[in-house]
Amino acid sequence: MRARTVELGLLVLASFITCVGYGFVLFSQQIEAAAPDRAAIQAEVGGLLVVVVGLLLAAHVVVRFLAPLADGMLLPVAALLNGMGYIMISRLDQGLAKSQSAWTFIGLVAFAAVLALLRDPRKLERYRYSLAVLGVGLLLLPLIPGLGAQINGARIWLRVGPFSIQPGEFAKIVLAAFLAGFLVEKRELLTLTGRKVGPIHIPDIRHFGPLLLALGVALMVMVLQRDLGSSLLFFTLFLVLIYIATNRFAYVLIGLVGFMGGAYVAWRQFSHVQRRVDIWLNPMDDPKGDSFQIVEAAFALADGGLTGTGLGQGTPKKIPYAATDMIFAAFGEEMGLLGATAILVMFLFFVGAGFRVATNARSPFEKLLAAGLTSLLGFQAFIIIGGIIRVLPLTGVTLPFVSYGGSSLISNYVILAILVRISHNSLEQVAEELEENSRTGGQLSVSSRTRSRWKAVSA
Amino acid sequence: MNRPIRHVVAVLMGLFTILFIQLNRIQVIDADELQTNDANTRTIQRDFNKQRGRILTADEVVVASSTPTPGEFFDYQRTYPQAELYAHITGYWSSIFGAEGVELTFKDHLIGASPSQELRGLTNPLDGRDPIGDIYLTIDHDLQKTAREALGNRRGAVVALDPVSGAIRAMWSYPSFDPNRMAANDGALANEAWTELVNADGKPLLSKAYQEIYAPGSTFKVITAAAALEANVATLDVPEFAAVDSYVAPLTSHSIRNFGGSTCGGNLVQLLVVSCNAGFAELGAEFVGPDRMVATAENFGFNNTPELDLPAPVASRFPDDYGSQVQSASDESPAGVFEDTPLLAQAAIGQYEVAATPLQMALVAAAVANGGPVPQPHVVAEVRDVESGRTTDSFGGRKWRDAMSTDRAIDLTKAMIEVVETGTAKSAAVPGVLVGAKTGTAQVGTDPPRSHAWMIAFAGQPEQAPELAIAVFVEGVEGSADQTGGGTAGPIVRSILEQFFS
């Protein structure tokens, strides 16, 4: 059970880092107020340590029972990102930190529930068209009068009692599952049919119908809801999955050309799209107005410099939405280029682990699902960080696991659970195949690499 | 499907590399530029949570201090116990509107971050405190109060400074404002104050003493007289101008009339004593000529921004282009005639486009009294370490420029004393004090008729060095047609002198 041992060690490390960071925040806050009360800080950090270790240990035990063969990197990296986010949120706003700890708990419960209930993700493949309907339905929910609510310019929220829920966060997962199922079904048709014009393979439009429809509806809904970040993310997901399913770059090329055309039309048609682009290209034209967010983020990052101001020592509260979309700028300010880079590296670790799950998956559907969900997280991180530091126009999405937000955190834990589940199942299948082969004496269908890996983890 | 998956991984790694490169650009390469950007209020906010030194007058009256505000967003609230009296000197320290006045120009000293203070901090590394400094002004609190009372609720400014060192003893501008309101940490209050003050009549946020320029009228004749003396086209005795009631410059039919239609003439002293427009116009236009008029005005400081230790002082203005020469020198016009000689005639008596700050006009009086050198004006005398009380920086006693030679300055001093003893500035006379002065009444606008009232003066104990140079300016507002330099500004000068020499 080497993977589980690694996981346990990394989880302990993640808890430790989280609690030390939290201690720094408390200490600097007390220095500001008066003399720091070391005993009180120690008590509070100790309390947090007990809670964090308890929660992560529980998650670890859940994995140990429900998915013992799963990859050991995914959960600890997610936990550390979640913990770092919590430190920053508590430093910015104690009230939000309380909610975030509740959301983290619910997220871990969702993680356990998905692991317990979704024993075989391949079953989802059968319900792909129902999933398409469900996904689009979730996206449309906020447009229903009385139920939906517009917050900060985007109509992507549902008001349920005291809570605001973003059904789009869950729609992304459902739509990724639909795309994976659909592409598995149509993969051969998409690869083999159609005409070849020079080196470019033109696909047959008939097989594309449902896909384009779903994509069109999804993009349309997102543009109408002014949720440009999610539509960009969803479009990227579509390109990634069709490329992985067909191994044909032509689709990506066609998609990119189509995207540029669409982006140009959107830019011509919608003033809010134009404004985003203007802010992106010339942020200093109106530093106190439209580009306030991005300019304040740049000032925060500049203040951070190489090593940062130190946790609790900067002024990240000046950045609008510092706890949600812009949280990366707060890290850049207080932890500097080094801390910001550490977050980039952690996302690369997570994405690396996720794509490893995809390459090891035994069924095409699981491969596409794992790759799709990993892409969602990786590209979402790229879109928001890139937006903050002006690599691309700023569109509001959360930084996965790090930003404040219930819907986002819970859906990320659901993604994590599915990846962990696929990871476990693929190794379990290898084991079964090995057993089957040894019984029948037939040819092994398992590669020698997979076999050695299996030996390593089951030792 | 594993091959395309690896391609996607490679693409994502590439994208994250781009993020890393751009992060380096923002956080390291462009960081300095971003930190000094005008829109960046972070530096100020950081400064806001730091302890700050006080600002005190020369006689140790506290005019700005920080009050701790535990539990609030900022740790300190800056307060100004003297309210509007020192608004244009201390300025304000606002988290929203930034800093003004000494709060801005000495912001490093106030938080202990000036080079000399940091050096001191380095030599004492075990002391964790910032070596913050108290700022001691050159202002005399009683004199400042006298300036406010004497000007009353007339728009204008009073500047009184030491003619030798340039130390400003009093500088008051009305209307003023309460810096406590601008500096309020409560954003709503500060915004309310800002909206009100920006739209208020009389521009209370700007100091009329050094941030606004006005037609100096006849006070400018001191410079014309200096130019004539420097150019050796006149002494105190010769030439003598014929008594006339107006002067018509070459190339024009427009006549420059004497004040009140009077007739005047005589030598330089006599011209100055009665402030003779016709004589000075002719002297400046045809005897001194454009080049030497411009040079002398600039030697006194016109067309140059004074090196004042307050933000945004403005330069006074003397037009410097009078076209090409159209007639060569003659007995009639020893300086020759230029295309715009008629405008020079106007400029020589402080009209046309001539405009000056009261501070500049006080420096004119100072330069004359000081025997030529124009001192560098300043409001801050020294910075003292809060902890030890030791002086870390001191200022003053520096020359800004040379206005005229000492001999000529002594001549002009005598002439200006004569103006007080027998001329238009009698209202500034104080028994037992030697006072020299020049009045000015600048008509600006005719509908409604209004005129600025000016007086510049210097004073000292007889047989001693001059101790004070003054400029008083009362703005011409509607219904102020009858205010004159002698009648309106003179009594204010006298009040200042009486307070100073009491």
PDB file of all heavy atoms in Angstrom, chain B residues 81-109:
ATOM      1  N   PRO B  81      -4.596  70.528  15.228  1.00  0.00           N
ATOM      2  CA  PRO B  81      -5.242  71.285  16.310  1.00  0.00           C
ATOM      3  C   PRO B  81      -5.539  72.736  15.935  1.00  0.00           C
ATOM      4  O   PRO B  81      -6.457  73.328  16.496  1.00  0.00           O
ATOM      5  CB  PRO B  81      -4.208  71.220  17.446  1.00  0.00           C
ATOM      6  CG  PRO B  81      -3.315  70.075  17.105  1.00  0.00           C
ATOM      7  CD  PRO B  81      -3.315  69.957  15.627  1.00  0.00           C
ATOM      8  N   GLN B  82      -4.783  73.316  15.004  1.00  0.00           N
ATOM      9  CA  GLN B  82      -5.013  74.712  14.653  1.00  0.00           C
ATOM     10  C   GLN B  82      -5.961  74.852  13.468  1.00  0.00           C
ATOM     11  O   GLN B  82      -6.088  75.936  12.891  1.00  0.00           O
ATOM     12  CB  GLN B  82      -3.683  75.409  14.346  1.00  0.00           C
ATOM     13  CG  GLN B  82      -2.728  75.461  15.536  1.00  0.00           C
ATOM     14  CD  GLN B  82      -3.271  76.317  16.668  1.00  0.00           C
ATOM     15  OE1 GLN B  82      -3.993  77.291  16.431  1.00  0.00           O
ATOM     16  NE2 GLN B  82      -2.940  75.956  17.897  1.00  0.00           N
ATOM     17  N   ALA B  83      -6.584  73.746  13.084  1.00  0.00           N
ATOM     18  CA  ALA B  83      -7.571  73.743  11.988  1.00  0.00           C
ATOM     19  C   ALA B  83      -7.050  74.489  10.764  1.00  0.00           C
ATOM     20  O   ALA B  83      -5.982  74.168  10.261  1.00  0.00           O
ATOM     21  CB  ALA B  83      -8.903  74.286  12.480  1.00  0.00           C
ATOM     22  N   GLU B  84      -7.803  75.513  10.306  1.00  0.00           N
ATOM     23  CA  GLU B  84      -7.486  76.105   9.001  1.00  0.00           C
ATOM     24  C   GLU B  84      -6.245  76.998   9.012  1.00  0.00           C
ATOM     25  O   GLU B  84      -5.722  77.347   7.959  1.00  0.00           O
ATOM     26  CB  GLU B  84      -8.701  76.890   8.465  1.00  0.00           C
ATOM     27  CG  GLU B  84      -8.860  78.329   8.959  1.00  0.00           C
ATOM     28  CD  GLU B  84      -9.258  78.449  10.434  1.00  0.00           C
ATOM     29  OE1 GLU B  84      -9.659  77.431  11.018  1.00  0.00           O
ATOM     30  OE2 GLU B  84      -9.151  79.551  10.992  1.00  0.00           O
ATOM     31  N   LEU B  85      -5.718  77.336  10.200  1.00  0.00           N
ATOM     32  CA  LEU B  85      -4.635  78.331  10.273  1.00  0.00           C
ATOM     33  C   LEU B  85      -3.379  77.881   9.526  1.00  0.00           C
ATOM     34  O   LEU B  85      -2.674  78.689   8.932  1.00  0.00           O
ATOM     35  CB  LEU B  85      -4.311  78.631  11.742  1.00  0.00           C
ATOM     36  CG  LEU B  85      -3.278  79.737  11.990  1.00  0.00           C
ATOM     37  CD1 LEU B  85      -3.700  81.064  11.349  1.00  0.00           C
ATOM     38  CD2 LEU B  85      -3.059  79.937  13.495  1.00  0.00           C
ATOM     39  N   TYR B  86      -3.108  76.570   9.531  1.00  0.00           N
ATOM     40  CA  TYR B  86      -1.874  76.096   8.891  1.00  0.00           C
ATOM     41  C   TYR B  86      -2.159  75.169   7.697  1.00  0.00           C
ATOM     42  O   TYR B  86      -1.266  74.456   7.244  1.00  0.00           O
ATOM     43  CB  TYR B  86      -0.996  75.372   9.915  1.00  0.00           C
ATOM     44  CG  TYR B  86      -0.391  76.317  10.921  1.00  0.00           C
ATOM     45  CD1 TYR B  86      -1.032  76.601  12.110  1.00  0.00           C
ATOM     46  CD2 TYR B  86       0.807  76.964  10.644  1.00  0.00           C
ATOM     47  CE1 TYR B  86      -0.496  77.498  13.022  1.00  0.00           C
ATOM     48  CE2 TYR B  86       1.360  77.851  11.541  1.00  0.00           C
ATOM     49  CZ  TYR B  86       0.709  78.115  12.734  1.00  0.00           C
ATOM     50  OH  TYR B  86       1.245  79.001  13.614  1.00  0.00           O
ATOM     51  N   ALA B  87      -3.402  75.216   7.200  1.00  0.00           N
ATOM     52  CA  ALA B  87      -3.816  74.261   6.165  1.00  0.00           C
ATOM     53  C   ALA B  87      -2.889  74.258   4.952  1.00  0.00           C
ATOM     54  O   ALA B  87      -2.537  73.212   4.424  1.00  0.00           O
ATOM     55  CB  ALA B  87      -5.246  74.555   5.732  1.00  0.00           C
ATOM     56  N   HIS B  88      -2.485  75.469   4.517  1.00  0.00           N
ATOM     57  CA  HIS B  88      -1.671  75.541   3.291  1.00  0.00           C
ATOM     58  C   HIS B  88      -0.193  75.275   3.558  1.00  0.00           C
ATOM     59  O   HIS B  88       0.611  75.266   2.628  1.00  0.00           O
ATOM     60  CB  HIS B  88      -1.852  76.905   2.619  1.00  0.00           C
ATOM     61  CG  HIS B  88      -3.259  77.131   2.150  1.00  0.00           C
ATOM     62  ND1 HIS B  88      -4.033  78.176   2.607  1.00  0.00           N
ATOM     63  CD2 HIS B  88      -4.035  76.418   1.306  1.00  0.00           C
ATOM     64  CE1 HIS B  88      -5.227  78.112   2.041  1.00  0.00           C
ATOM     65  NE2 HIS B  88      -5.252  77.054   1.238  1.00  0.00           N
ATOM     66  N   ILE B  89       0.159  75.093   4.821  1.00  0.00           N
ATOM     67  CA  ILE B  89       1.561  74.786   5.128  1.00  0.00           C
ATOM     68  C   ILE B  89       1.707  73.304   5.480  1.00  0.00           C
ATOM     69  O   ILE B  89       2.460  72.585   4.837  1.00  0.00           O
ATOM     70  CB  ILE B  89       2.057  75.678   6.282  1.00  0.00           C
ATOM     71  CG1 ILE B  89       2.035  77.141   5.829  1.00  0.00           C
ATOM     72  CG2 ILE B  89       3.467  75.264   6.703  1.00  0.00           C
ATOM     73  CD1 ILE B  89       2.228  78.138   6.920  1.00  0.00           C
ATOM     74  N   THR B  90       0.943  72.842   6.475  1.00  0.00           N
ATOM     75  CA  THR B  90       1.019  71.419   6.801  1.00  0.00           C
ATOM     76  C   THR B  90       0.434  70.575   5.684  1.00  0.00           C
ATOM     77  O   THR B  90       0.876  69.461   5.451  1.00  0.00           O
ATOM     78  CB  THR B  90       0.232  71.094   8.094  1.00  0.00           C
ATOM     79  OG1 THR B  90      -1.136  71.437   7.887  1.00  0.00           O
ATOM     80  CG2 THR B  90       0.788  71.839   9.271  1.00  0.00           C
ATOM     81  N   GLY B  91      -0.584  71.132   4.969  1.00  0.00           N
ATOM     82  CA  GLY B  91      -1.337  70.299   4.050  1.00  0.00           C
ATOM     83  C   GLY B  91      -2.133  69.301   4.850  1.00  0.00           C
ATOM     84  O   GLY B  91      -2.505  69.575   5.997  1.00  0.00           O
ATOM     85  N   TYR B  92      -2.383  68.129   4.281  1.00  0.00           N
ATOM     86  CA  TYR B  92      -3.114  67.103   4.995  1.00  0.00           C
ATOM     87  C   TYR B  92      -2.536  65.744   4.633  1.00  0.00           C
ATOM     88  O   TYR B  92      -1.739  65.618   3.702  1.00  0.00           O
ATOM     89  CB  TYR B  92      -4.615  67.152   4.669  1.00  0.00           C
ATOM     90  CG  TYR B  92      -4.913  67.252   3.199  1.00  0.00           C
ATOM     91  CD1 TYR B  92      -4.876  66.134   2.386  1.00  0.00           C
ATOM     92  CD2 TYR B  92      -5.210  68.487   2.616  1.00  0.00           C
ATOM     93  CE1 TYR B  92      -5.131  66.225   1.043  1.00  0.00           C
ATOM     94  CE2 TYR B  92      -5.462  68.589   1.256  1.00  0.00           C
ATOM     95  CZ  TYR B  92      -5.422  67.450   0.472  1.00  0.00           C
ATOM     96  OH  TYR B  92      -5.652  67.536  -0.873  1.00  0.00           O
ATOM     97  N   TRP B  93      -2.942  64.746   5.384  1.00  0.00           N
ATOM     98  CA  TRP B  93      -2.427  63.385   5.215  1.00  0.00           C
ATOM     99  C   TRP B  93      -3.646  62.505   5.130  1.00  0.00           C
ATOM    100  O   TRP B  93      -4.199  62.102   6.140  1.00  0.00           O
ATOM    101  CB  TRP B  93      -1.555  63.076   6.437  1.00  0.00           C
ATOM    102  CG  TRP B  93      -0.910  61.740   6.458  1.00  0.00           C
ATOM    103  CD1 TRP B  93      -1.119  60.757   7.391  1.00  0.00           C
ATOM    104  CD2 TRP B  93       0.066  61.236   5.572  1.00  0.00           C
ATOM    105  NE1 TRP B  93      -0.324  59.686   7.098  1.00  0.00           N
ATOM    106  CE2 TRP B  93       0.412  59.943   5.996  1.00  0.00           C
ATOM    107  CE3 TRP B  93       0.689  61.761   4.425  1.00  0.00           C
ATOM    108  CZ2 TRP B  93       1.348  59.158   5.329  1.00  0.00           C
ATOM    109  CZ3 TRP B  93       1.612  60.978   3.767  1.00  0.00           C
ATOM    110  CH2 TRP B  93       1.941  59.693   4.223  1.00  0.00           C
ATOM    111  N   SER B  94      -4.097  62.288   3.883  1.00  0.00           N
ATOM    112  CA  SER B  94      -5.371  61.599   3.691  1.00  0.00           C
ATOM    113  C   SER B  94      -5.156  60.266   3.009  1.00  0.00           C
ATOM    114  O   SER B  94      -4.410  60.165   2.036  1.00  0.00           O
ATOM    115  CB  SER B  94      -6.306  62.473   2.845  1.00  0.00           C
ATOM    116  OG  SER B  94      -7.329  61.677   2.285  1.00  0.00           O
ATOM    117  N   SER B  95      -5.839  59.253   3.526  1.00  0.00           N
ATOM    118  CA  SER B  95      -5.715  57.928   2.906  1.00  0.00           C
ATOM    119  C   SER B  95      -6.382  57.916   1.545  1.00  0.00           C
ATOM    120  O   SER B  95      -6.091  57.073   0.725  1.00  0.00           O
ATOM    121  CB  SER B  95      -6.364  56.882   3.800  1.00  0.00           C
ATOM    122  OG  SER B  95      -7.704  57.231   4.045  1.00  0.00           O
ATOM    123  N   ILE B  96      -7.289  58.856   1.316  1.00  0.00           N
ATOM    124  CA  ILE B  96      -8.033  58.861   0.059  1.00  0.00           C
ATOM    125  C   ILE B  96      -7.416  59.821  -0.942  1.00  0.00           C
ATOM    126  O   ILE B  96      -7.228  59.491  -2.103  1.00  0.00           O
ATOM    127  CB  ILE B  96      -9.501  59.252   0.319  1.00  0.00           C
ATOM    128  CG1 ILE B  96     -10.120  58.257   1.295  1.00  0.00           C
ATOM    129  CG2 ILE B  96     -10.275  59.282  -0.990  1.00  0.00           C
ATOM    130  CD1 ILE B  96     -11.368  58.752   1.936  1.00  0.00           C
ATOM    131  N   PHE B  97      -7.073  61.021  -0.471  1.00  0.00           N
ATOM    132  CA  PHE B  97      -6.629  62.046  -1.413  1.00  0.00           C
ATOM    133  C   PHE B  97      -5.115  62.204  -1.419  1.00  0.00           C
ATOM    134  O   PHE B  97      -4.581  63.111  -2.052  1.00  0.00           O
ATOM    135  CB  PHE B  97      -7.309  63.376  -1.086  1.00  0.00           C
ATOM    136  CG  PHE B  97      -8.799  63.239  -1.003  1.00  0.00           C
ATOM    137  CD1 PHE B  97      -9.462  63.354   0.190  1.00  0.00           C
ATOM    138  CD2 PHE B  97      -9.528  62.931  -2.144  1.00  0.00           C
ATOM    139  CE1 PHE B  97     -10.838  63.184   0.267  1.00  0.00           C
ATOM    140  CE2 PHE B  97     -10.881  62.756  -2.089  1.00  0.00           C
ATOM    141  CZ  PHE B  97     -11.542  62.889  -0.880  1.00  0.00           C
ATOM    142  N   GLY B  98      -4.422  61.341  -0.703  1.00  0.00           N
ATOM    143  CA  GLY B  98      -2.968  61.431  -0.675  1.00  0.00           C
ATOM    144  C   GLY B  98      -2.537  62.539   0.268  1.00  0.00           C
ATOM    145  O   GLY B  98      -3.279  62.942   1.160  1.00  0.00           O
ATOM    146  N   ALA B  99      -1.326  63.029   0.059  1.00  0.00           N
ATOM    147  CA  ALA B  99      -0.786  64.010   0.985  1.00  0.00           C
ATOM    148  C   ALA B  99      -0.592  65.337   0.281  1.00  0.00           C
ATOM    149  O   ALA B  99      -0.472  65.406  -0.932  1.00  0.00           O
ATOM    150  CB  ALA B  99       0.533  63.515   1.552  1.00  0.00           C
ATOM    151  N   GLU B 100      -0.569  66.398   1.088  1.00  0.00           N
ATOM    152  CA  GLU B 100      -0.321  67.756   0.606  1.00  0.00           C
ATOM    153  C   GLU B 100       0.596  68.450   1.605  1.00  0.00           C
ATOM    154  O   GLU B 100       0.751  68.001   2.730  1.00  0.00           O
ATOM    155  CB  GLU B 100      -1.650  68.523   0.496  1.00  0.00           C
ATOM    156  CG  GLU B 100      -2.228  68.580  -0.914  1.00  0.00           C
ATOM    157  CD  GLU B 100      -1.302  69.291  -1.892  1.00  0.00           C
ATOM    158  OE1 GLU B 100      -0.456  70.096  -1.449  1.00  0.00           O
ATOM    159  OE2 GLU B 100      -1.403  69.024  -3.106  1.00  0.00           O
ATOM    160  N   GLY B 101       1.169  69.556   1.171  1.00  0.00           N
ATOM    161  CA  GLY B 101       1.934  70.391   2.080  1.00  0.00           C
ATOM    162  C   GLY B 101       3.165  69.693   2.639  1.00  0.00           C
ATOM    163  O   GLY B 101       3.753  68.816   2.019  1.00  0.00           O
ATOM    164  N   VAL B 102       3.550  70.115   3.855  1.00  0.00           N
ATOM    165  CA  VAL B 102       4.717  69.525   4.508  1.00  0.00           C
ATOM    166  C   VAL B 102       4.508  68.015   4.711  1.00  0.00           C
ATOM    167  O   VAL B 102       5.450  67.236   4.658  1.00  0.00           O
ATOM    168  CB  VAL B 102       4.982  70.240   5.851  1.00  0.00           C
ATOM    169  CG1 VAL B 102       5.975  69.467   6.698  1.00  0.00           C
ATOM    170  CG2 VAL B 102       5.491  71.651   5.588  1.00  0.00           C
ATOM    171  N   GLU B 103       3.237  67.621   4.909  1.00  0.00           N
ATOM    172  CA  GLU B 103       2.938  66.190   5.059  1.00  0.00           C
ATOM    173  C   GLU B 103       3.441  65.406   3.849  1.00  0.00           C
ATOM    174  O   GLU B 103       3.794  64.238   3.963  1.00  0.00           O
ATOM    175  CB  GLU B 103       1.426  65.967   5.209  1.00  0.00           C
ATOM    176  CG  GLU B 103       0.819  66.581   6.453  1.00  0.00           C
ATOM    177  CD  GLU B 103       0.939  65.691   7.680  1.00  0.00           C
ATOM    178  OE1 GLU B 103       1.892  64.906   7.767  1.00  0.00           O
ATOM    179  OE2 GLU B 103       0.072  65.802   8.558  1.00  0.00           O
ATOM    180  N   LEU B 104       3.456  66.062   2.686  1.00  0.00           N
ATOM    181  CA  LEU B 104       3.945  65.395   1.481  1.00  0.00           C
ATOM    182  C   LEU B 104       5.456  65.578   1.320  1.00  0.00           C
ATOM    183  O   LEU B 104       6.194  64.601   1.152  1.00  0.00           O
ATOM    184  CB  LEU B 104       3.211  65.938   0.244  1.00  0.00           C
ATOM    185  CG  LEU B 104       3.681  65.381  -1.096  1.00  0.00           C
ATOM    186  CD1 LEU B 104       3.487  63.879  -1.166  1.00  0.00           C
ATOM    187  CD2 LEU B 104       2.944  66.047  -2.249  1.00  0.00           C
ATOM    188  N   THR B 105       5.925  66.838   1.399  1.00  0.00           N
ATOM    189  CA  THR B 105       7.337  67.055   1.095  1.00  0.00           C
ATOM    190  C   THR B 105       8.252  66.468   2.166  1.00  0.00           C
ATOM    191  O   THR B 105       9.401  66.154   1.880  1.00  0.00           O
ATOM    192  CB  THR B 105       7.642  68.560   0.915  1.00  0.00           C
ATOM    193  OG1 THR B 105       7.001  69.294   1.942  1.00  0.00           O
ATOM    194  CG2 THR B 105       7.174  69.053  -0.431  1.00  0.00           C
ATOM    195  N   PHE B 106       7.737  66.307   3.384  1.00  0.00           N
ATOM    196  CA  PHE B 106       8.572  65.744   4.442  1.00  0.00           C
ATOM    197  C   PHE B 106       8.048  64.395   4.921  1.00  0.00           C
ATOM    198  O   PHE B 106       8.214  64.024   6.076  1.00  0.00           O
ATOM    199  CB  PHE B 106       8.711  66.737   5.602  1.00  0.00           C
ATOM    200  CG  PHE B 106       9.623  67.879   5.254  1.00  0.00           C
ATOM    201  CD1 PHE B 106       9.146  68.972   4.548  1.00  0.00           C
ATOM    202  CD2 PHE B 106      10.971  67.835   5.575  1.00  0.00           C
ATOM    203  CE1 PHE B 106       9.996  70.013   4.185  1.00  0.00           C
ATOM    204  CE2 PHE B 106      11.823  68.857   5.212  1.00  0.00           C
ATOM    205  CZ  PHE B 106      11.337  69.949   4.517  1.00  0.00           C
ATOM    206  N   LYS B 107       7.377  63.674   3.998  1.00  0.00           N
ATOM    207  CA  LYS B 107       6.753  62.416   4.432  1.00  0.00           C
ATOM    208  C   LYS B 107       7.796  61.405   4.906  1.00  0.00           C
ATOM    209  O   LYS B 107       7.550  60.659   5.841  1.00  0.00           O
ATOM    210  CB  LYS B 107       5.873  61.822   3.338  1.00  0.00           C
ATOM    211  CG  LYS B 107       6.580  61.367   2.079  1.00  0.00           C
ATOM    212  CD  LYS B 107       5.524  60.884   1.070  1.00  0.00           C
ATOM    213  CE  LYS B 107       6.053  60.716  -0.324  1.00  0.00           C
ATOM    214  NZ  LYS B 107       7.017  59.660  -0.527  1.00  0.00           N
ATOM    215  N   ASP B 108       8.962  61.414   4.286  1.00  0.00           N
ATOM    216  CA  ASP B 108      10.001  60.476   4.713  1.00  0.00           C
ATOM    217  C   ASP B 108      10.523  60.822   6.107  1.00  0.00           C
ATOM    218  O   ASP B 108      10.703  59.952   6.951  1.00  0.00           O
ATOM    219  CB  ASP B 108      11.168  60.478   3.720  1.00  0.00           C
ATOM    220  CG  ASP B 108      10.787  59.789   2.419  1.00  0.00           C
ATOM    221  OD1 ASP B 108       9.742  59.099   2.413  1.00  0.00           O
ATOM    222  OD2 ASP B 108      11.504  59.947   1.430  1.00  0.00           O
ATOM    223  N   HIS B 109      10.739  62.118   6.344  1.00  0.00           N
ATOM    224  CA  HIS B 109      11.239  62.536   7.656  1.00  0.00           C
ATOM    225  C   HIS B 109      10.239  62.214   8.754  1.00  0.00           C
ATOM    226  O   HIS B 109      10.607  61.844   9.859  1.00  0.00           O
ATOM    227  CB  HIS B 109      11.524  64.038   7.668  1.00  0.00           C
ATOM    228  CG  HIS B 109      12.635  64.444   6.730  1.00  0.00           C
ATOM    229  ND1 HIS B 109      12.420  64.688   5.400  1.00  0.00           N
ATOM    230  CD2 HIS B 109      13.952  64.622   6.937  1.00  0.00           C
ATOM    231  CE1 HIS B 109      13.569  65.001   4.834  1.00  0.00           C
ATOM    232  NE2 HIS B 109      14.521  64.977   5.731  1.00  0.00           N
TER     233      HIS B 109
END
